[in-house]
Each structure stands twice: as structure tokens, then as C-alpha cells.
């Protein structure tokens, strides 16, 4: 999926995260801030990148501010931000496909 | 508890927000375009935050409610609101002691006016990235810088650039990026580039969000009281010092300012603060016409406003004059005429 315009999803409240996507300069550029960076930084990064890969996002500037979110939350917030950035309406969301 | 918008017209609620801010020693800014708050059961605000353009400001959390994560809710709300308005690159002003909270929310410090404020942005590579791009343009030798709005470019600007170009190996000419007022930035820049094209050692650059922008220096664009102008000018100077280091700039040239209050204060702050960082600040007296009238872009805008461009023809280089006489300029001229006040305060 292509990042057509900047979009965001999530909040900065505890156990959540805020994902901001912007059109990239060729490739994925991830900036991560997390309240649990030392313990889970690598895992969060992995989940974000895997979700982007599954949605075939190849060119994006990704900013993640994490407040201790669980993996399923991270996945959901990234997916939401991607669909918003792609201008995909509710009907076009591939439920049961790449969104599992 | 949820965050809700507070309308500027709601005098009662705004009064309570002002009181909440004052309890933590913050003055409510006069120029805000969005304010929000969290209210308790009794309808009293317990946390608040505001936005103006790309900047987030005027934060307070009632000391009795600190540690409940209210600031995070306020910031989330303000960020969503700003994104809706099309502002993605966001800035925060806060007291030095509070910077840490914002760093935890993904903001990075750009500069500090010790004892007054810290200025942050919501990306890690923002200012460092801008500096890196500048560094690539660094030239050896004696370097000088001029920052100008050139609204529009006059022979006064030309005189300042020429003076600097004669006394230095390279002059970096920073042009304000912001679209403020009826003359679009792209036109302002084009008129500058055309008018200095014959000076090979002048390099035109853009200020981006980091010098005299509505983020660093909102008072430049909107009437603001002296004390706040001084703090903003000090912040702008702190950013300029970093830029000067990246480009090895030894001297900053400014035109003397007999009329505009804001530019006068800015010059005053620069001439004290820059030498403290080993940068010379050269104030060049304004160029005058033979009849003693000083050349000023405000005077030129006033003349365009009053439909008497010919009366200021001797203040303008051929390039600017030709532009304002061309059909291309007619929508801009019309926009200047619609303005009620075209003189910089």
C-alpha cells in the first residue's frame, strides 16, 4: 500500500501508542520513542516493521511514540494509520485478507 | 474524563483556564487558535493546553491532579487537532523544568533560552537534519549571513547584501520561508534571486521553520508585548548560533531599524547575544534616498496599497519594479490593496 498523505492513529495514553505515517524518501524510516524502550524496544520495532511489510508499505516515514502498548495494539494502530494514509474507505479494508 | 475544546468566546471558562495557568506561573498567550481542557465533576479545569499554528503551548496540570496522565491526553488531543488542520511538523514551548515530559512524548529539544523556555519539535531528525543539509553547502573563508523577509526586495536590501558581499568571501542569504502577508514566499524569493544574480558570492537559502517563523518567532508576524518579543528573539538567536556554527558564519549583517518595533528589539537582542557566541553583529545604517527618505519595504507596500507605485520607483531595483508593473502581479497588488495595515509594527 502506498502512503499518499500524512496520517496518524492511536493516543499517547498509557498502554497505547501513537503512530504517524508520512510519505517517505524511498524506504521505511522508523523513529521510535518508548517508555519501555530498554525492555521491549526491539520487539516493538519488529512488530511495526512486520505489519508494514504485510500491508506492502515500502516507502514511508514512520514515527511511533509508545506508552507500553501490547503487540496486538501496535498491530491495530499501524494498520489503522496505513489505511488512513492510503485513503482507503471502510469497504476497501481487506478483512480476513492481510488484516487478520 | 475527556478533553474538550474551550472556545475563546467562552469568557468564563477562559478565565478559569487563565487562573489555572497562573497557578503554575504561565501567562496565557494572546494569540491562540485552539484551546482545550479536562474538567472535573464540578466543572473546574484541571488540565489545559493550547495551540497556535504549528506550535503547542500554554500547558498546565492542576498540582492536585499531576501523575494521572492528563498531559498525555491533552497532547494527544492537540496533536490530532493540529494534524486535521494540516500541521504535521509540530513545536512545543515549555518551561525548562517540563521539557522531560515532552521528550517522553516523542519530542526532541531544538534550543533553550536558559531560565525561560525550551523549544522542542516532534521529530528526531528535524533541526539536526536541517543543519546537516546546510553543512553540505559550507564554503571556506570569511562567511557572513543575512536573514531577510524582503517583502518585497528593495534597493535597501540590495545595499545590505552588496556591503556584506564586498566584505566577505561568501554571504549566506536566508530568506523567510513563511507565507505571511499578501506577497507569496515564492515571489519574494524569486525577486531576491533575480536581484542578486550578479553577485557570485551570495548563496540564497531558506529559513525553513527554524529562523523567524511562526514557530520560533510568532511575534514577528503578530503584535506582541515587549517582554515576550525579547524571549522569542532570544530563542531565534539561539537557533541562529547553531546555524552559524554549521556554516562557519563569523558575521551577521542587519539593517538598522528606525521604525519597526519588533525588528528594533530583534536587532538589539542579536547585537548583545551574538558576540557572546563569538559572532560579530554588524548593523548597517539604512540606505537613504537623496532627499533623506529612508528606503523601506513597508513604505513600498504602503505605496502599492495607495496605488502610487511610481512614487517609490527609486527605492526598487529594476527586477522588483518590473514585476509589480507586470500583469502577473495584479492579484498580489489587489491583495495588498485589500489589507488595512501593510506597515510592519
Amino acid at each position: 500500500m502506498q502512503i499518499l498523505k500524512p496520517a496518524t492513529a492511536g493516543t499517547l495514553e498509557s498502554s497505547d501508542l501513537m503512530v504517524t505515517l508520512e510519505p517517505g524518501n524511498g524506504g521505511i524510516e522508523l523513529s521510535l520513542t518508548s517508555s519501555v524502550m530498554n525492555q521491549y524496544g526491539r520487539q516493538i520495532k519488529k512488530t511495526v516493521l512486520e505489519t508494514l511489510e504485510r500491508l506492502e508499505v515500502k516507502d514511508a516515514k514512520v514515527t511511533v511514540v509508545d506508552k507500553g502498548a501490547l503487540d496486538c495494539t501496535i498491530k491495530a494502530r499501524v494498520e489503522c494509520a496505513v489505511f488512513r494514509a492510503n485513503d482507503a474507505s471502510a469497504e476497501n479494508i481487506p478483512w480476513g485478507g492481510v488484516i487478520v | 474524563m475527556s478533553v474538550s475544546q474551550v472556545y475563546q468566546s467562552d469568557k468564563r471558562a477562559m478565565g478559569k483556564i487563565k487562573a489555572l495557568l497562573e497557578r503554575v506561573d504561565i501567562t496565557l498567550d494572546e494569540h491562540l487558535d485552539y484551546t482545550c481542557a479536562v474538567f472535573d465533576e464540578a466543572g473546574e479545569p484541571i488540565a489545559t493546553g493550547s495551540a497556535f499554528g504549528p506550535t503547542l503551548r500554554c500547558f498546565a496540570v492542576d498540582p492536585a491532579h499531576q501523575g494521572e496522565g492528563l498531559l498525555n491526553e491533552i497532547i494527544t488531543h492537540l496533536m490530532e487537532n493540529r494534524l486535521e488542520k494540516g500541521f504535521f511538523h509540530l513545536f512545543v514551548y515549555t518551561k525548562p523544568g517540563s521539557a522531560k515530559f515532552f521528550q517522553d512524548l516523542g519530542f526532541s529539544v531544538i534550543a533553550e533560552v536558559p531560565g525561560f523556555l525550551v523549544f522542542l519539535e516532534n521529530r528526531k531528525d528535524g533541526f539536526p537534519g536541517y543543519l546537516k543539509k546546510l553543512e553540505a553547502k559550507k564554503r571556506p573563508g570569511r562567511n557572513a549571513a543575512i536573514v531577510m523577509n524582503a517583502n518585497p526586495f528593495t534597493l535597501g536590501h540590495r545595499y545590505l547584501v552588496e556591503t556584506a558581499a564586498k566584505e566577505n568571501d561568501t554571504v549566506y542569504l536566508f530568506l523567510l520561508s513563511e507565507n505571511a502577508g499578501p506577497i507569496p514566499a515564492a515571489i519574494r524569493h524569486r525577486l531576491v534571486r533575480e536581484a542578486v544574480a550578479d553577485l557570485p558570492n551570495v548563496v540564497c537559502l531558506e529559513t525553513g521553520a527554524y529562523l523567524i517563523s511562526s514557530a520560533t518567532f510568532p511575534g514577528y508576524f503578530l503584535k506582541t508585548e515587549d517582554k515576550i518579543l525579547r524571549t522569542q528573539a532570544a530563542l531565534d538567536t539561539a537557533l541562529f548560533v547553531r546555524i552559524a556554527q554549521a556554516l562557519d558564519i563569523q558575521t551577521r549583517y542587519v539593517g538598522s531599524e528606525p521604525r519597526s518595533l519588533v525588528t528594533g528589539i530583534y536587532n538589539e537582542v542579536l547585537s548583545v547575544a551574538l558576540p557572546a557566541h563569538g559572532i560579530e553583529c554588524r548593523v548597517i545604517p539604512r540606505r537613504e534616498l537623496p532627499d533623506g527618505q529612508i528606503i523601506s519595504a513597508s513604505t513600498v507596500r504602503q505605496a502599492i496599497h495607495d496605488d502610487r507605485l511610481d512614487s517609490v520607483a527609486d527605492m526598487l531595483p529594476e527586477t522588483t519594479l518590473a514585476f509589480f508593473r507586470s500583469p502577473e502581479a495584479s492579484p498580489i497588488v489587489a491583495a495588498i490593496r485589500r489589507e488595512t495595515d501593510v506597515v510592519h509594527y
Side-chain angles (χ1 to χ4, degrees), chain B residues 60-265:
Chain B
V61 177
D62 186 330
H65 290 274
Q66 282 172 4
E68 296 175 17
L70 293 176
L71 182 67
N72 299 20
E73 284 184 47
I74 295 271
I75 301 278
T76 302
H77 182 92
L78 286 176
M79 281 176 87
E80 277 170 5
N81 171 272
R82 290 295 94 183
L83 299 180
E84 267 171 37
K85 298 272 185 273
F87 296 108
F88 289 92
H89 190 183
L90 301 178
F91 301 88
V92 166
Y93 290 86
T94 187
K95 288 194 291 186
S98 314
K100 201 202 158 297
F101 298 109
F102 292 93
Q103 284 171 300
D104 285 346
L105 298 174
F107 287 86
S108 312
V109 175
I110 304 176
E112 185 174 347
V113 180
F116 283 97
L117 63 92
V118 179
F119 184 56
L120 306 95
E121 64 183 335
N122 69 338
R123 42 195 67 181
K124 283 181 184 155
D125 62 344
F127 193 50
Y130 175 78
L131 291 179
K132 209 176 248 172
K133 267 193 223 150
L134 286 182
E135 254 167 52
K137 297 187 175 159
K138 183 159 97 176
R139 295 193 189 175
R142 254 197 86 71
N143 297 326
I146 302 173
V147 181
M148 62 169 63
N149 191 3
N151 189 22
F153 193 85
T154 65
L155 288 175
H157 295 112
R158 168 76 197 191
Y159 174 68
L160 184 62
V161 177
E162 254 176 26
T163 309
K166 253 181 251 158
E167 297 174 357
N168 293 278
D169 294 321
T170 301
V171 178
Y172 297 102
L173 193 53
F174 287 91
L175 307 174
L176 264 61
S177 298
E178 198 116 345
N179 264 320
I183 310 175
I187 299 290
R188 280 192 292 110
H189 297 176
R190 198 182 90 199
L191 293 177
V192 176
R193 281 174 213 275
E194 284 172 5
V196 301
D198 60 314
L199 301 170
N201 61 338
V202 174
V203 181
C204 291
L205 299 168
E206 287 206 28
T207 54
Y210 302 110
L211 281 176
I212 320 187
S213 67
S214 59
T216 60
F217 202 159
Y220 187 82
F221 304 96
L222 292 161
K223 232 183 177 101
T224 307
E225 65 174 285
D226 278 27
K227 200 182 92 197
I228 298 172
L229 279 180
R230 272 173 208 283
T231 314
Q232 292 177 355
L235 173 64
D236 204 81
T237 308
L239 288 164
F240 177 76
V241 168
R242 298 275 301 279
I243 290 169
Q245 288 160 350
L247 283 169
D248 194 19
I249 290 164
Q250 297 110 24
T251 315
R252 165 112 175 227
Y253 284 73
V254 297
S256 68
E257 186 47 73
R259 283 199 209 149
S260 150
L261 167 81
V262 57
T263 315
I265 289 180

Side-chain angles (χ1 to χ4, degrees), chain A residues 45-62:
Chain A
K45 196 174 163 190
K46 188 169 155 249
T47 309
V48 171
L49 293 177
E50 274 174 8
T51 310
L52 291 171
E53 203 184 312
R54 183 158 42 78
L55 295 173
E56 290 177 28
V57 176
K58 299 202 168 71
D59 188 6
K61 231 175 121 181
V62 189

Side-chain angles (χ1 to χ4, degrees), chain A residues 22-60:
Chain A
E22 289 167 85
N25 315 309
I28 301 286
E29 207 182 305
L30 172 64
S31 149
L32 172 65
T33 310
S34 174
S35 53
V36 289
M37 193 63 137
N38 296 335
Q39 300 91 324
Y40 298 109
R42 247 172 291 168
Q43 175 63 29
I44 296 166
K45 196 174 163 190
K46 188 169 155 249
T47 309
V48 171
L49 293 177
E50 274 174 8
T51 310
L52 291 171
E53 203 184 312
R54 183 158 42 78
L55 295 173
E56 290 177 28
V57 176
K58 299 202 168 71
D59 188 6

